[in-house]
Amino acid sequence: MRTVITFGTFDVFHVGHANLLQRAAALGDRLIVGVSTDALNMAKKGRNPIYNQHDRMKIINSLRYVNFCFEEETLEKKAHYISLYSADVLVMGDDWVGKFDHLQSLCEVCYLPRTPSVSTTEIIEIISSN
Ligand code: C2G
């Protein structure tokens, strides 16, 4: 059983998120997803998410390529989550390249190319300007 773990806010879920999760799932037998809490999103991005953490968890849990999700409370606990869920591979989008290389002693670390031309920030801007 090869376990893949990934993390993200997944606010205003879009095709870039879907592509990332689908490709992450294809790297193993089960995919576990850490979903940023509202407080962590505030710390990372300086704003509240559009969808709260309960709704974002519900959306992620409803995807067929996700086996399980949990709340990620802080960026600093990745080593703990990797051990807790016996993850063999950590997958992140390539906007995080190099940021998690220190975890290579615990598991494989894999950065996948982001889907171009789609982002939550851009979606929020388009909706607000209409
Ligand atoms: N993503 C992607 N293509 C896009 C947009 C996002 O592949 N066009 C990927 C990101 O690279 C990330 C995942 O989708 O791996 C989730 O994106 P975000 O919700 O923006 O995640 P972020 O807030 O960066 O949180 O511990 C790490 C963080 O919690 C990651």
Side-chain angles (χ1 to χ4, degrees), residues 6-12 14-21 23 34-37 40-41 44-45 56 72 74-76 78 90-96 100 112-121:
T6 192
F7 298 86
T9 311
F10 305 104
D11 191 27
V12 191
H14 59 63
V15 71
H17 298 144
N19 287 338
L20 189 286
L21 293 174
R23 285 177 295 160
V35 178
S36 302
T37 59
L40 175 54
N41 187 70
K44 279 191 296 190
K45 303 187 179 174
R56 290 183 286 110
E72 182 190 24
T74 161
L75 295 180
E76 322 309 325
K78 285 210 169 41
L90 166 65
V91 171
M92 294 299 300
D94 63 5
D95 45 328
W96 291 92
F100 301 116
L112 296 177
R114 276 170 69 91
T115 301
S117 310
V118 57
S119 76
T120 300
T121 308

Side-chain angles (χ1 to χ4, degrees), residues 50 120-130:
I50 302 292
T120 300
T121 308
E122 196 179 322
I123 291 167
I124 293 170
E125 279 167 13
I126 291 167
I127 292 170
S128 340
S129 67
N130 283 314

